[in-house]
Each structure stands twice: as structure tokens, then as C-alpha cells.
Amino acid sequence: MNALLPMPRLRRDLLIAYLAAAAVIAQVIEAALPGPGPWFKPGLANVFTLVAFLRLGWSAAAGVTGLRVLAGSLALGTLFTPGFFLSLAGGCGAVAMLAVVRFLPGLGPVGISLLAALAHMAAQTAVAGWLIIGHAGIVALLPWLLAGSWISGVLNGLLTFLILEQLDRHRALLTGP
Amino acid sequence: MKFPALLARASTPMDRLVMGITALAIVVSGVTAHGKPGKQAVVFRDNRPVLTLPLSQDTKKELAGRLGPVTIQVEQGRVRLLEYQSPRMIGTRTGWIQGAGRTTACVPCGVLVRVEGQPENTPDQGFDAVSE
């Protein structure tokens, strides 16, 4: 499941762009829908980051995340608002966790997604506490926020698994020119 | 395909270990974060305590958040935050809180409400470690 694919540079770059576009679409759609609860945000855009990570590597996942944060903020009109910095912080936290899990053997999409989701939320809470709210008391919310992230992390991991099953049969991901 | 079967197929033993450890850590931290019933609610705006509301007196106060007015309501020993212009309305949707140490916040508004447990007439001991 965690096999990186060798492929021509152009095809790789195109796949990164496609995954980033899909992530932006998921982010915009999700922002328009009512959330299921105060502590729970599905974070479907992260599925495409995970697909990039598991098939194209860490740098591709970082690229998808960066493009998604920037283009998603432009599409939603939230560039340089507090929401943008929260999104950026979450993305950086998740990408940093992905850099770590590269060295953890035996993890599949579910475990990787879960750890990335928790790192995403922890980074967002830290930035919210220290830069936006300006009070460390927001850390008291962390158990509830992390509980929501735990659920979304597992669900997104399962979704990533199902997408990879389909994607691995697609000729765009087959090796060779 | 049923959810348990999908989970079993999609996850590795290491995944399930990570799921168990993180779930346990979250539950333990959630249980320990619950305090005794609070005595007062302290309202912060951009790291500055701007209001202290005894939970024994029902009241409703409005202050200016970054995105517009925010209402803090105290009723029956509980407090809640009502924002009107926030993207996700997390503060409003959190609802009432009352245990000491509980927090509700509207991050985009820059407003945080924290329930404190100390008696109403003692000086606040909780802010020495907060950095700007």
C-alpha cells in the first residue's frame, strides 16, 4: 500500500496538480456545507494529500497541501484572514507529521491519516491560542478538538484506502513512460 | 461492505495500535480536563481579560469581536458564547459550559471564555504564565 511509484517528472507534476485541484474542490464544497458538529470537520481535502504522500512521496504531499491552502483561501476569499493562518498552520502540522511517519514502519493509510489529523489539529490549536486568541486557555479545548480529529482521521484514512485501490488500477499511476 | 470489515481490511496492526493509543490518550485528557463546577467566567479579548462574570448572577453582555459583536450569556451557573459572524460558529455550537477549566472560544473573533473555579472575591491566580 505504501509503495512510491517511479514515473516521468511531467506526469508526476500533473498528478500533483490534479490532486491539489481535487483538494481545493473538496475544501470549497466542505466550507459550503453545514458541519456535523462544533468539534468535527471532515477535512476531506486531506484525503488527496494522503494519496499524494502514499504514491508520490512527501514532497508531493507538501506541494498538494501548499497549493490547497493557497488556492482554497483564494477561492473562499479568506486569504490572510485568521482562517487562512489556521489552515496554513494545520497544513504545516500535518506535513510535518508526514515527514516523521516516513520513518515509522508498518503504518497504513488509516494510521498515517490519523496521526496527520491529530498533528493538524494540534498545530491549529497552538496557532489559535498563541497568535489569534492570544490565550493558552484554548488548550483546554484540545481533548474535544482531538476527538473530532480522531474520527475524521480514521474516516479519511479509510477513504484514502478505497481511492488508492481504484487509483492503482488507473494507467496514469502505472510505471513507465 | 460493512464498516468493521473495511477497517480490518484497510488497517495494519500498527494502525490499530496507533488508534488505540491515541484514543486512550484523548479520553484520559478529556476526563482529567473536567473540573469542579466553576464560580466565574473570565472573558478574554486578544489575550486581555476584559470581563469577569460571576456564574451565580444571570446576565448577558456584549463585546466587540474582530468579526462583529459577540454575546456572553450567563444563566443558571453556566455560560455560553454567541457569535454572529464567525465562519464555523464553533463558539455558539459549543453551547453552555460550566465546569472549572472549561473553555469556549470564537477564534476568528479573538474571544475566549474560560470558567474559573476559585471563589469570586479572591484575586485571579491564573494569568501569570500567559505570554503575549
Side-chain angles (χ1 to χ4, degrees), chain A residues 71-150:
Chain A
S73 305
L74 284 169
L76 293 169
T78 59
L79 192 64
F80 302 133
T81 63
F84 166 77
F85 291 108
L86 289 178
S87 182
L88 182 64
C92 289
V95 167
M97 178 57 81
L98 292 179
V100 173
V101 301
R102 284 185 298 175
F103 305 103
L104 297 178
L107 276 174
V110 176
I112 293 170
S113 173
L114 173 55
L115 290 174
L118 296 179
H120 187 280
M121 182 51 72
Q124 276 196 337
T125 307
V127 167
W130 289 315
L131 295 182
I132 298 175
I133 286 280
H135 190 273
I138 199 168
V139 172
L141 290 171
L142 207 50
W144 286 266
L145 294 168
L146 289 178
S149 292
W150 192 95

Side-chain angles (χ1 to χ4, degrees), chain A residues 25 37 83 118 174:
Chain A
I25 292 168
L118 296 179
L174 297 177

